[in-house]
Amino acid sequence: MSQAPGGAGGQHDRILDEAAKLFIRFGYHGISMRQIAEAVGISKAGLYHHFADKQSLFLAILLRNIERVGDLVDEARAQGGSTREVVARLVNALLVGMVGGQRFIRLAEQDASSLDPDARDTVRSVYRQRFIDPISAVLQGGVTRGELRGVEPETATWLLLGLTLAGLSTPPERASAMATEIVRLFFEGVGAR
Amino acid sequence: MSQAPGGAGGQHDRILDEAAKLFIRFGYHGISMRQIAEAVGISKAGLYHHFADKQSLFLAILLRNIERVGDLVDEARAQGGSTREVVARLVNALLVGMVGGQRFIRLAEQDASSLDPDARDTVRSVYRQRFIDPISAVLQGGVTRGELRGVEPETATWLLLGLTLAGLSTPPERASAMATEIVRLFFEGVGAR
DNA sequence: CCTACCGATCGGTAGG
DNA sequence: CCTACCGATCGGTAGG
């Protein structure tokens, strides 16, 4: 039996951890509550003791992971430095710091269609508030201080995340080098000087 | 006999078109053969007359769409010009030319896990051969001719595709502007000059 | 004997 | 948190 990473300990968190792995690998519809229960080592009914239904479990996973990457953004910002330094810390944290290539962002985008409209709005709102907006603010600050050319901050944020997502498929041992390459491409491009 | 909207003619192609839309929207496990049959306007048994099983249908869709984007790459290369001009035509074709934001690339990556190992290898091989390798060759040529700095062509290809995928979520009327922004970021970055 | 299906139902499994 | 189940729907197939 493995313990919950981060020392949380409870079954609740253990379920979130195991279910997150499976959802990330197979998608919302690709995994059943039975399989999740089996992975956790409890019965399916036991699972329903902790979460009202499949969607509630999925939603809890999405929100928890958004909080986690939101914390990564906060930490990257808090340490200060140039726009490029902040972005470099953030990309590195997303690529290296997320254990085992947690591609939950892709999951959140792809399987948002599996949620009902209310839940989807909640996810979108928190995602924007804790992830997109803070990164946009960093880039906006870079434009204001003349460190970046006049890009639209939100567009630039999406493109930076596109680069980072593409980089997530790199093997863990090359994650750091990939982060460096992403940051360089984002700021300098690939054109010859 | 049957009136096929949209060109090719046969029921076979009509099924591929309708099923592709649904798979792209809901994922492999998110849509049933019943729903696909209903969308096409035939019975589920009729569907099984054309495709042996769900996986065969899915595989046929993936391969057909890989061929299509492969053709887009070929066309972009055939017209010649600088590396940047070729890349600009390609990104534009992927963003604007693919009707209604066909995000099949994301589908191919995400739901590859729904295929058995043989089918997955086939997809990966054709994807690489018709899509990744030709783009890498374009970028490699750019490095050789000194139009690009010394990047690893395959890494740069993945990052370019990451940017393009991120741009796919843009509304159709802004697709052209997004393509321009992606190409500029890819070649020049966002750093101030 | 072919094609392009149909209504009905198979054995299993989904979320609850 | 379990055993024991449900209504419905799953992917796939029967005879005609």
Side-chain angles (χ1 to χ4, degrees), chain B residues 137-165:
Chain B
V138 169
L139 299 181
Q140 175 62 65
V143 173
T144 302
R145 291 195 303 277
E147 298 175 41
L148 304 187
R149 63 176 167 87
V151 286
E152 209 280 293
E154 189 153 327
T155 301
T157 298
W158 282 110
L159 295 181
L160 175 60
L161 290 180
L163 287 172
T164 307
L165 271 176

mmCIF file of all heavy atoms in Angstrom, chain B residues 137-165:
data_model
loop_
_atom_site.group_PDB
_atom_site.id
_atom_site.type_symbol
_atom_site.label_atom_id
_atom_site.label_comp_id
_atom_site.label_asym_id
_atom_site.label_seq_id
_atom_site.Cartn_x
_atom_site.Cartn_y
_atom_site.Cartn_z
ATOM 1 N N ALA B 137 11.917 18.433 -41.280
ATOM 2 C CA ALA B 137 12.800 18.638 -42.434
ATOM 3 C C ALA B 137 12.823 20.108 -42.846
ATOM 4 O O ALA B 137 13.874 20.654 -43.192
ATOM 5 C CB ALA B 137 12.355 17.757 -43.596
ATOM 6 N N VAL B 138 11.666 20.744 -42.791
ATOM 7 C CA VAL B 138 11.595 22.174 -43.106
ATOM 8 C C VAL B 138 12.476 22.970 -42.146
ATOM 9 O O VAL B 138 13.270 23.820 -42.564
ATOM 10 C CB VAL B 138 10.133 22.685 -43.038
ATOM 11 C CG1 VAL B 138 10.097 24.210 -43.102
ATOM 12 C CG2 VAL B 138 9.301 22.082 -44.160
ATOM 13 N N LEU B 139 12.337 22.669 -40.850
ATOM 14 C CA LEU B 139 13.111 23.413 -39.852
ATOM 15 C C LEU B 139 14.593 23.084 -39.963
ATOM 16 O O LEU B 139 15.450 23.966 -39.812
ATOM 17 C CB LEU B 139 12.582 23.104 -38.450
ATOM 18 C CG LEU B 139 11.115 23.499 -38.201
ATOM 19 C CD1 LEU B 139 10.708 23.174 -36.775
ATOM 20 C CD2 LEU B 139 10.874 24.969 -38.512
ATOM 21 N N GLN B 140 14.897 21.824 -40.229
ATOM 22 C CA GLN B 140 16.298 21.426 -40.432
ATOM 23 C C GLN B 140 16.908 22.210 -41.590
ATOM 24 O O GLN B 140 18.039 22.704 -41.491
ATOM 25 C CB GLN B 140 16.365 19.917 -40.711
ATOM 26 C CG GLN B 140 17.761 19.415 -41.049
ATOM 27 C CD GLN B 140 18.732 19.621 -39.897
ATOM 28 O OE1 GLN B 140 18.580 19.031 -38.839
ATOM 29 N NE2 GLN B 140 19.733 20.489 -40.086
ATOM 30 N N GLY B 141 16.136 22.325 -42.661
ATOM 31 C CA GLY B 141 16.604 23.116 -43.806
ATOM 32 C C GLY B 141 16.875 24.554 -43.418
ATOM 33 O O GLY B 141 17.854 25.168 -43.859
ATOM 34 N N GLY B 142 16.021 25.103 -42.563
ATOM 35 C CA GLY B 142 16.204 26.472 -42.096
ATOM 36 C C GLY B 142 17.492 26.632 -41.299
ATOM 37 O O GLY B 142 18.190 27.648 -41.423
ATOM 38 N N VAL B 143 17.806 25.637 -40.490
ATOM 39 C CA VAL B 143 19.048 25.674 -39.708
ATOM 40 C C VAL B 143 20.245 25.607 -40.652
ATOM 41 O O VAL B 143 21.193 26.391 -40.538
ATOM 42 C CB VAL B 143 19.095 24.509 -38.688
ATOM 43 C CG1 VAL B 143 20.462 24.455 -38.010
ATOM 44 C CG2 VAL B 143 17.989 24.656 -37.657
ATOM 45 N N THR B 144 20.155 24.671 -41.612
ATOM 46 C CA THR B 144 21.261 24.475 -42.560
ATOM 47 C C THR B 144 21.554 25.752 -43.352
ATOM 48 O O THR B 144 22.708 26.128 -43.560
ATOM 49 C CB THR B 144 20.917 23.336 -43.539
ATOM 50 O OG1 THR B 144 20.665 22.150 -42.795
ATOM 51 C CG2 THR B 144 22.059 23.092 -44.513
ATOM 52 N N ARG B 145 20.492 26.422 -43.754
ATOM 53 C CA ARG B 145 20.683 27.634 -44.563
ATOM 54 C C ARG B 145 20.911 28.879 -43.711
ATOM 55 O O ARG B 145 20.947 30.003 -44.231
ATOM 56 C CB ARG B 145 19.466 27.847 -45.467
ATOM 57 C CG ARG B 145 19.329 26.801 -46.567
ATOM 58 C CD ARG B 145 18.345 27.247 -47.647
ATOM 59 N NE ARG B 145 17.037 27.548 -47.083
ATOM 60 C CZ ARG B 145 16.110 26.623 -46.829
ATOM 61 N NH1 ARG B 145 16.346 25.358 -47.097
ATOM 62 N NH2 ARG B 145 14.952 26.966 -46.331
ATOM 63 N N GLY B 146 20.972 28.696 -42.414
ATOM 64 C CA GLY B 146 21.264 29.815 -41.531
ATOM 65 C C GLY B 146 20.075 30.728 -41.252
ATOM 66 O O GLY B 146 20.226 31.816 -40.712
ATOM 67 N N GLU B 147 18.868 30.263 -41.614
ATOM 68 C CA GLU B 147 17.691 31.094 -41.330
ATOM 69 C C GLU B 147 17.223 30.927 -39.887
ATOM 70 O O GLU B 147 16.510 31.773 -39.353
ATOM 71 C CB GLU B 147 16.549 30.724 -42.301
ATOM 72 C CG GLU B 147 16.888 30.988 -43.766
ATOM 73 C CD GLU B 147 15.788 30.493 -44.684
ATOM 74 O OE1 GLU B 147 14.606 30.688 -44.349
ATOM 75 O OE2 GLU B 147 16.105 29.896 -45.733
ATOM 76 N N LEU B 148 17.584 29.790 -39.305
ATOM 77 C CA LEU B 148 17.254 29.548 -37.903
ATOM 78 C C LEU B 148 18.541 29.360 -37.116
ATOM 79 O O LEU B 148 19.550 28.902 -37.654
ATOM 80 C CB LEU B 148 16.403 28.276 -37.756
ATOM 81 C CG LEU B 148 15.102 28.167 -38.536
ATOM 82 C CD1 LEU B 148 14.352 26.914 -38.102
ATOM 83 C CD2 LEU B 148 14.234 29.388 -38.317
ATOM 84 N N ARG B 149 18.455 29.694 -35.826
ATOM 85 C CA ARG B 149 19.588 29.376 -34.961
ATOM 86 C C ARG B 149 19.654 27.860 -34.767
ATOM 87 O O ARG B 149 18.768 27.129 -35.171
ATOM 88 C CB ARG B 149 19.456 30.103 -33.628
ATOM 89 C CG ARG B 149 18.227 29.698 -32.806
ATOM 90 C CD ARG B 149 18.255 30.413 -31.442
ATOM 91 N NE ARG B 149 16.994 30.312 -30.741
ATOM 92 C CZ ARG B 149 16.651 29.293 -29.940
ATOM 93 N NH1 ARG B 149 17.458 28.274 -29.791
ATOM 94 N NH2 ARG B 149 15.494 29.296 -29.323
ATOM 95 N N GLY B 150 20.697 27.399 -34.103
ATOM 96 C CA GLY B 150 20.923 25.967 -33.990
ATOM 97 C C GLY B 150 20.001 25.245 -33.033
ATOM 98 O O GLY B 150 20.421 24.839 -31.953
ATOM 99 N N VAL B 151 18.748 25.084 -33.449
ATOM 100 C CA VAL B 151 17.807 24.328 -32.621
ATOM 101 C C VAL B 151 17.792 22.870 -33.059
ATOM 102 O O VAL B 151 18.149 22.547 -34.185
ATOM 103 C CB VAL B 151 16.372 24.881 -32.741
ATOM 104 C CG1 VAL B 151 16.243 26.176 -31.994
ATOM 105 C CG2 VAL B 151 15.960 25.019 -34.201
ATOM 106 N N GLU B 152 17.342 22.019 -32.159
ATOM 107 C CA GLU B 152 17.124 20.619 -32.501
ATOM 108 C C GLU B 152 15.790 20.576 -33.257
ATOM 109 O O GLU B 152 14.751 20.913 -32.693
ATOM 110 C CB GLU B 152 17.076 19.804 -31.203
ATOM 111 C CG GLU B 152 17.542 18.375 -31.326
ATOM 112 C CD GLU B 152 16.460 17.508 -31.907
ATOM 113 O OE1 GLU B 152 15.449 17.326 -31.224
ATOM 114 O OE2 GLU B 152 16.629 17.051 -33.059
ATOM 115 N N PRO B 153 15.806 20.160 -34.548
ATOM 116 C CA PRO B 153 14.610 20.320 -35.383
ATOM 117 C C PRO B 153 13.367 19.619 -34.840
ATOM 118 O O PRO B 153 12.267 20.169 -34.917
ATOM 119 C CB PRO B 153 15.040 19.688 -36.718
ATOM 120 C CG PRO B 153 16.512 19.765 -36.733
ATOM 121 C CD PRO B 153 16.945 19.631 -35.305
ATOM 122 N N GLU B 154 13.552 18.438 -34.268
ATOM 123 C CA GLU B 154 12.362 17.725 -33.800
ATOM 124 C C GLU B 154 11.748 18.397 -32.569
ATOM 125 O O GLU B 154 10.528 18.541 -32.460
ATOM 126 C CB GLU B 154 12.689 16.264 -33.495
ATOM 127 C CG GLU B 154 11.435 15.459 -33.234
ATOM 128 C CD GLU B 154 11.613 13.986 -33.566
ATOM 129 O OE1 GLU B 154 12.375 13.671 -34.504
ATOM 130 O OE2 GLU B 154 10.991 13.177 -32.882
ATOM 131 N N THR B 155 12.607 18.839 -31.658
ATOM 132 C CA THR B 155 12.101 19.591 -30.499
ATOM 133 C C THR B 155 11.354 20.845 -30.965
ATOM 134 O O THR B 155 10.248 21.139 -30.498
ATOM 135 C CB THR B 155 13.264 20.001 -29.578
ATOM 136 O OG1 THR B 155 13.944 18.831 -29.135
ATOM 137 C CG2 THR B 155 12.751 20.774 -28.375
ATOM 138 N N ALA B 156 11.978 21.544 -31.908
ATOM 139 C CA ALA B 156 11.344 22.765 -32.416
ATOM 140 C C ALA B 156 10.008 22.445 -33.073
ATOM 141 O O ALA B 156 9.047 23.215 -32.971
ATOM 142 C CB ALA B 156 12.276 23.459 -33.402
ATOM 143 N N THR B 157 9.919 21.307 -33.753
ATOM 144 C CA THR B 157 8.659 20.892 -34.377
ATOM 145 C C THR B 157 7.569 20.705 -33.333
ATOM 146 O O THR B 157 6.450 21.199 -33.480
ATOM 147 C CB THR B 157 8.858 19.583 -35.159
ATOM 148 O OG1 THR B 157 9.806 19.798 -36.202
ATOM 149 C CG2 THR B 157 7.545 19.106 -35.755
ATOM 150 N N TRP B 158 7.904 19.993 -32.253
ATOM 151 C CA TRP B 158 6.919 19.775 -31.196
ATOM 152 C C TRP B 158 6.473 21.088 -30.564
ATOM 153 O O TRP B 158 5.286 21.273 -30.270
ATOM 154 C CB TRP B 158 7.495 18.847 -30.116
ATOM 155 C CG TRP B 158 7.471 17.413 -30.548
ATOM 156 C CD1 TRP B 158 8.544 16.643 -30.869
ATOM 157 C CD2 TRP B 158 6.310 16.590 -30.737
ATOM 158 N NE1 TRP B 158 8.124 15.400 -31.256
ATOM 159 C CE2 TRP B 158 6.768 15.327 -31.183
ATOM 160 C CE3 TRP B 158 4.939 16.781 -30.580
ATOM 161 C CZ2 TRP B 158 5.914 14.274 -31.478
ATOM 162 C CZ3 TRP B 158 4.082 15.745 -30.877
ATOM 163 C CH2 TRP B 158 4.564 14.508 -31.314
ATOM 164 N N LEU B 159 7.411 21.998 -30.391
ATOM 165 C CA LEU B 159 7.046 23.284 -29.781
ATOM 166 C C LEU B 159 6.190 24.111 -30.742
ATOM 167 O O LEU B 159 5.222 24.760 -30.324
ATOM 168 C CB LEU B 159 8.303 24.039 -29.360
ATOM 169 C CG LEU B 159 9.109 23.336 -28.245
ATOM 170 C CD1 LEU B 159 10.337 24.151 -27.863
ATOM 171 C CD2 LEU B 159 8.223 23.081 -27.022
ATOM 172 N N LEU B 160 6.523 24.054 -32.032
ATOM 173 C CA LEU B 160 5.688 24.752 -33.014
ATOM 174 C C LEU B 160 4.265 24.184 -33.012
ATOM 175 O O LEU B 160 3.279 24.932 -33.066
ATOM 176 C CB LEU B 160 6.303 24.616 -34.414
ATOM 177 C CG LEU B 160 5.491 25.184 -35.570
ATOM 178 C CD1 LEU B 160 5.259 26.679 -35.389
ATOM 179 C CD2 LEU B 160 6.177 24.917 -36.917
ATOM 180 N N LEU B 161 4.167 22.863 -32.916
ATOM 181 C CA LEU B 161 2.840 22.251 -32.866
ATOM 182 C C LEU B 161 2.115 22.595 -31.577
ATOM 183 O O LEU B 161 0.894 22.756 -31.567
ATOM 184 C CB LEU B 161 2.956 20.732 -33.029
ATOM 185 C CG LEU B 161 3.377 20.284 -34.426
ATOM 186 C CD1 LEU B 161 3.461 18.755 -34.494
ATOM 187 C CD2 LEU B 161 2.391 20.795 -35.481
ATOM 188 N N GLY B 162 2.871 22.716 -30.488
ATOM 189 C CA GLY B 162 2.273 23.136 -29.234
ATOM 190 C C GLY B 162 1.656 24.520 -29.352
ATOM 191 O O GLY B 162 0.532 24.769 -28.892
ATOM 192 N N LEU B 163 2.369 25.423 -29.985
ATOM 193 C CA LEU B 163 1.848 26.772 -30.229
ATOM 194 C C LEU B 163 0.592 26.713 -31.097
ATOM 195 O O LEU B 163 -0.416 27.377 -30.823
ATOM 196 C CB LEU B 163 2.902 27.634 -30.931
ATOM 197 C CG LEU B 163 4.091 28.105 -30.103
ATOM 198 C CD1 LEU B 163 5.119 28.774 -30.999
ATOM 199 C CD2 LEU B 163 3.618 29.075 -29.024
ATOM 200 N N THR B 164 0.659 25.900 -32.147
ATOM 201 C CA THR B 164 -0.464 25.820 -33.078
ATOM 202 C C THR B 164 -1.701 25.231 -32.399
ATOM 203 O O THR B 164 -2.818 25.717 -32.579
ATOM 204 C CB THR B 164 -0.076 24.974 -34.302
ATOM 205 O OG1 THR B 164 1.136 25.498 -34.866
ATOM 206 C CG2 THR B 164 -1.174 25.009 -35.350
ATOM 207 N N LEU B 165 -1.488 24.188 -31.595
ATOM 208 C CA LEU B 165 -2.592 23.597 -30.843
ATOM 209 C C LEU B 165 -3.216 24.623 -29.911
ATOM 210 O O LEU B 165 -4.447 24.727 -29.819
ATOM 211 C CB LEU B 165 -2.097 22.411 -30.031
ATOM 212 C CG LEU B 165 -2.130 21.055 -30.714
ATOM 213 C CD1 LEU B 165 -1.524 19.988 -29.808
ATOM 214 C CD2 LEU B 165 -3.572 20.690 -31.052
#
